[in-house]
Amino acid sequence: GAVVSQHPSRVICKSGTSVKIECRSLDFQATTMFWYRQFPKQSLMLMATSNEGSKATYEQGVEKDKFLINHASLTLSTLTVTSAHPEDSSFYICSARDFGGETQYFGPGTRLLVL
Amino acid sequence: QKEVEQNSGPLSVPEGAIASLNCTYSDRGSQSFFWYRQYSGKSPELIMSIYSNGDKEDGRFTAQLNKASQYVSLLIRDSQPSDSATYLCAVNNEGNQFYFGTGTSLTVIP
């Protein structure tokens, strides 16, 4: 149980375009989802926390207008990188936690390359 | 002071040895503790969770928790080359906020 999927697994786009990444909890209802970013050989960096039906809470230094997060249902959260630039190239990972749960389960990640 | 601190390593152990990974945390009210493994280029996967003082064993893995010392560790017995990865300690603090350490890189040498 506790499976989280992400789509796409890999995306290459041109600078200035927007990219949407989906995160789904497949066998449980995720009241809270988290979005992380990880640059090569660096640690996980939490970008934002989203609760179903409410606005996401962004970490300091993360631009909410650039990284749009929608958590419209208990099984789906999306992260949209707007007007992507090469410095946004990174490994984006989501995780999910069910109601009352304390464990975070991670998706497989999405590797974004902006040319 | 960081919420969760780990020695970044790298830690190298020979195959078959015991690997010992350590983690300290700052919020004394923390109740839940987790170890994740992350292979290079992959996302983290949960190895173990521990909630009570003492040891918890699962196969070759043993998690140890000492709340008085605010210390949690992971022992890997009979280490295998496939255990080579970065190990992340995570803590759910009293405010139900989840914090990760920066991870310890482990290399098991054949």
Side-chain angles (χ1 to χ4, degrees):
Chain A
V3 179
V4 177
S5 70
Q6 269 184 256
H7 178 80
S9 58
R10 185 182 295 268
V11 59
I12 301 173
C13 69
K14 292 182 179 179
S15 184
T17 60
S18 294
V19 175
K20 180 186 281 189
I21 302 170
E22 292 186 349
C23 178
R24 294 182 184 271
S25 56
L26 298 185
D27 52 1
F28 66 101
Q29 293 186 325
T31 50
T32 306
M33 287 186 169
F34 305 86
W35 286 96
Y36 294 85
R37 180 168 54 182
Q38 189 173 38
F39 294 104
K41 299 192 184 302
Q42 294 189 22
S43 56
L44 285 173
M45 291 177 51
L46 179 65
M47 298 175 67
T49 301
S50 73
N51 292 297
E52 185 267 337
S54 61
K55 290 184 178 180
T57 302
Y58 290 81
E59 295 299 301
Q60 191 172 9
V62 179
E63 299 176 58
K64 63 180 181 180
D65 294 330
K66 180 171 181 64
F67 298 100
L68 302 179
I69 291 172
N70 185 291
H71 191 166
S73 78
L74 287 171
T75 59
L76 173 65
S77 176
T78 60
L79 168 67
T80 301
V81 183
T82 62
S83 187
H85 288 94
E87 58 266 29
D88 298 322
S89 299
S90 188
F91 191 38
Y92 291 85
I93 312 171
C94 74
S95 69
R97 188 172 70 189
D98 62 3
F99 178 75
E102 296 178 317
T103 305
Q104 285 191 33
Y105 298 96
F106 284 88
T110 297
R111 200 162 296 282
L112 171 63
L113 176 61
V114 184
L115 301 177
Chain B
Q1 183 186 9
K2 291 183 180 178
E3 292 282 340
V4 180
E5 300 214 41
Q6 293 181 253
N7 188 325
S8 62
L11 173 66
S12 294
V13 300
E15 183 174 355
I18 296 175
S20 177
L21 304 160
N22 304 314
C23 172
T24 58
Y25 59 95
S26 61
D27 185 344
R28 185 170 287 278
S30 299
Q31 298 294 323
S32 311
F33 308 87
F34 308 86
W35 282 100
Y36 290 81
R37 176 176 61 197
Q38 186 176 23
Y39 290 113
S40 180
K42 302 293 185 181
S43 67
E45 56 179 324
L46 180 68
I47 300 175
M48 291 187 71
S49 58
I50 186 167
Y51 305 94
S52 304
N53 276 328
D55 295 0
K56 179 181 178 182
E57 188 174 314
D58 183 359
R60 294 186 296 111
F61 298 98
T62 299
Q64 298 175 318
L65 175 61
N66 183 326
K67 290 186 179 180
S69 300
Q70 295 174 234
Y71 176 93
V72 58
S73 66
L74 180 70
L75 300 178
I76 307 175
R77 291 183 300 283
D78 188 24
S79 295
Q80 301 297 308
S82 58
D83 295 326
S84 299
T86 296
Y87 289 80
L88 303 169
C89 172
V91 174
N92 210 28
N93 71 6
E94 194 168 29
N96 203 28
Q97 293 172 303
F98 208 93
Y99 290 96
F100 282 93
T102 53
T104 298
S105 174
L106 171 67
T107 300
V108 180
I109 303 167

